[in-house]
Amino acid sequence: MQRILIENAEVWDAIEDKRYPASVLIEGNRIKTVARNATLDAAGADVIDATGMTLMPGMVEGHCHPSFTGVGAPEELGVIGPEQHMLLTAANCRLLLEHGFTSIFEAASAKPMLGVTARNAIDSGLIVGPRMLAASPEITVTAGLGDARLRHLYQESFGLVGDGPDELRRIARECVPDGVEVLKTSVSGDQFVASARAEITPLTDTELAAFMEVAKAHGLKVASHARSSESVKMSVRHGVDCIYHCDFADEEALDMLEAAKDRVFVGPAFGLVHNNVKDGDRFGVTPEICEKFDLYRKFDQCCATYHEVRKRGIRNVIGGDYGFAATPMGMNARDISHFVEYFGYSTAEALRCATIVGQDLMGRADELGTIADGKLADLLLVKGDPTADVSILQHRKNLAMIMKDGVLYKDPRAGSPAAAAHLVAAE
């Protein structure tokens, strides 16, 4: 059995706020021993000297679209051929692992089977990528988010479109034999959808109820796109597991989220609105466009909502709709800094959102998300101290080691056998 000993590390275990010095022994795919303020016998072990570095759990992308491939508009996802789309998805999975994301919760696949195929290929070792819960495409209604059809022009986007309880029930059922673990639905609209802006709720109560019947019958998780206050309330009432955005949640919606905080998760997916508002000129999004689509107000509303989410102790996951032109895949860890800068989280709180809270959403918090004896070895060795400055996690050059399931995908010891076998792409 492979034994790896990490010596002289400062450990941030996702349990305590502060780091502590420790040696950590990994046997096979599990953490055997965490020896705080102590050394361990190195006999028979490969030794990694972690002097000056922080050992922390691998990160979780809680709103991940690995099949979103840098497009400028959602309907562009419908134009990509399925074969090319699968290759691009595989490349994104590898890129996410290279950036320290050892687990991803897929928040919708751009086409049926892309996420499922990627997950299966990762699990079998055919491609490199994080642990993954695979999702359906966005299941929506006519004129809702994900429906790009026009009266004079049929065009695909990233949604599966149906109307009425029976059709929503049928579409959800069709995704079950695909092998999805997550069903995703668009309850509200969004700012860039002319027919259904963010504060509109196209999905009806009876349609969501029928959709949820299928998910509950098959034991699947459900995620919802919910920007309007009513869409948040509907999602809570019907038992949705992860409610994304929640920008315009009113006091009643926040109270409902707080009352359900032992079972529900939220995720702002703030990266897209942040980059459009703060960096829009780089992507052709002018102040005039931001005004036209009311993005400044959405930005402010999102910040206000997630200050309340933090205060109320509602579980919050990182992940910012990366995979558009304005949110290139690989920038995903930027969301941790957003939680600190815009939502008032401490660095330790934000890091927990990216580790143990994300694993709780994944359903793996018993084995992943913290550093402790017996846990699965999904670990990062970071140059510097992310508890002092979370922004260092945005740069893969700062990730000296990436380990998933006890396998070194990036080894800090240049030229080592593990590095030769598993090293990810060059910086």
Side-chain angles (χ1 to χ4, degrees):
M1 180 184 294
Q2 174 183 264
R3 301 174 81 239
I4 296 174
L5 178 60
I6 300 172
E7 294 184 324
N8 305 316
E10 291 291 327
V11 172
W12 182 74
D13 60 12
I15 301 166
E16 300 183 17
D17 287 351
K18 302 294 185 182
R19 303 183 305 165
Y20 54 80
S23 295
V24 177
L25 178 64
I26 294 102
E27 288 190 352
N29 67 342
R30 291 191 181 269
I31 299 168
K32 174 68 173 177
T33 307
V34 179
R36 187 190 291 233
N37 295 304
T39 59
L40 293 167
D41 183 4
D46 290 332
V47 178
I48 294 174
D49 183 3
T51 300
M53 293 186 275
T54 300
L55 186 70
M56 62 174 283
M59 294 185 289
V60 183
E61 225 283 15
H63 183 115
C64 197
H65 295 296
S67 54
F68 284 25
T69 55
V71 297
E75 55 267 25
E76 293 175 32
L77 291 167
V79 177
I80 305 170
E83 297 86 358
Q84 181 189 13
H85 211 154
M86 189 64 243
L87 292 173
L88 294 172
T89 301
N92 274 343
C93 289
R94 184 183 185 100
L95 186 64
L96 285 157
L97 184 62
E98 290 176 0
H99 282 84
F101 289 93
T102 55
S103 294
I104 57 177
F105 184 95
E106 191 177 29
S109 180
K111 291 182 175 70
M113 298 301 297
L114 287 177
V116 168
T117 303
R119 179 204 64 204
N120 293 347
I122 291 166
D123 289 348
S124 70
L126 182 63
I127 66 172
V128 170
R131 301 174 190 270
M132 181 175 174
L133 290 188
S136 70
E138 204 100 14
I139 297 172
T140 190
V141 294
T142 298
L145 173 65
D147 177 20
R149 302 169 303 170
L150 301 173
R151 178 74 74 180
H152 67 287
L153 177 66
Y154 181 89
Q155 53 187 355
E156 294 285 352
S157 181
F158 58 80
L160 299 177
V161 184
D163 293 292
D166 287 343
E167 285 196 17
L168 268 290
R169 192 181 285 113
R170 175 187 57 79
I171 294 170
R173 283 175 175 160
E174 287 177 350
C175 292
V176 173
D178 289 345
V180 302
E181 293 145 309
V182 182
L183 287 172
K184 173 73 180 293
T185 185
S186 294
V187 187
S188 81
D190 214 321
Q191 297 303 87
F192 56 84
V193 181
S195 55
R197 291 292 174 89
E199 292 171 86
I200 293 175
T201 308
L203 204 73
T204 66
D205 200 75
T206 54
E207 286 170 329
L208 183 56
F211 181 84
M212 292 300 299
E213 281 178 20
V214 178
K216 291 175 181 176
H218 293 276
L220 302 178
K221 292 181 181 290
V222 175
S224 67
H225 172 99
R227 293 196 185 275
S228 69
S229 190
E230 179 54 32
S231 66
V232 175
K233 296 171 193 176
M234 283 174 58
S235 296
V236 176
R237 284 198 302 268
H238 288 285
V240 170
D241 299 286
C242 190
I243 307 172
Y244 291 126
H245 307 299
C246 306
D247 313 64
F248 298 102
D250 61 17
E251 193 73 16
E252 181 185 10
L254 288 165
D255 288 344
M256 291 174 68
L257 286 170
E258 184 176 7
K261 67 182 180 182
D262 289 340
R263 67 161 185 83
V264 75
F265 296 82
V266 297
F270 186 63
L272 187 57
V273 65
H274 172 275
N275 287 10
N276 281 323
V277 168
K278 297 295 186 180
D279 300 329
D281 287 341
R282 294 171 53 197
F283 313 106
V285 181
T286 64
E288 291 75 21
I289 291 174
C290 287
E291 288 284 2
K292 176 182 177 181
F293 290 102
D294 207 15
L295 295 180
Y296 295 120
R297 186 169 74 94
K298 184 160 80 167
F299 183 102
D300 291 341
Q301 283 289 140
C302 189
C303 291
T305 292
Y306 281 90
H307 271 279
E308 281 296 312
V309 164
R310 175 183 56 79
K311 291 175 185 176
R312 293 167 181 251
I314 301 163
R315 292 174 295 180
N316 191 8
V317 296
I318 72 155
D321 262 333
Y322 291 91
F324 290 101
T327 50
M329 196 69 71
M331 294 179 64
N332 309 62
R334 195 178 189 186
D335 270 39
I336 307 171
S337 294
H338 294 336
F339 276 40
V340 175
E341 182 175 358
Y342 296 108
F343 306 153
Y345 285 78
S346 70
T347 55
E349 288 170 336
L351 288 168
R352 285 194 192 95
C353 292
T355 53
I356 184 59
V357 177
Q359 290 296 355
D360 207 6
L361 173 62
M362 295 282 293
R364 301 295 300 273
D366 57 332
E367 291 192 302
L368 291 162
T370 58
I371 297 178
D373 294 0
K375 291 295 184 80
L376 288 169
D378 285 16
L379 301 169
L380 306 177
L381 201 51
V382 183
K383 298 175 184 177
D385 181 6
T387 68
D389 179 7
V390 297
S391 71
I392 65 175
L393 293 169
Q394 297 173 31
H395 310 289
R396 58 179 168 178
K397 67 182 180 181
N398 292 329
L399 303 178
M401 184 191 83
I402 300 169
M403 176 183 285
K404 189 192 85 171
D405 206 36
V407 174
L408 283 165
Y409 287 89
K410 186 174 184 180
D411 191 320
R413 303 163 299 172
S416 72
H422 300 295
L423 188 64
V424 294
E427 306 300 346

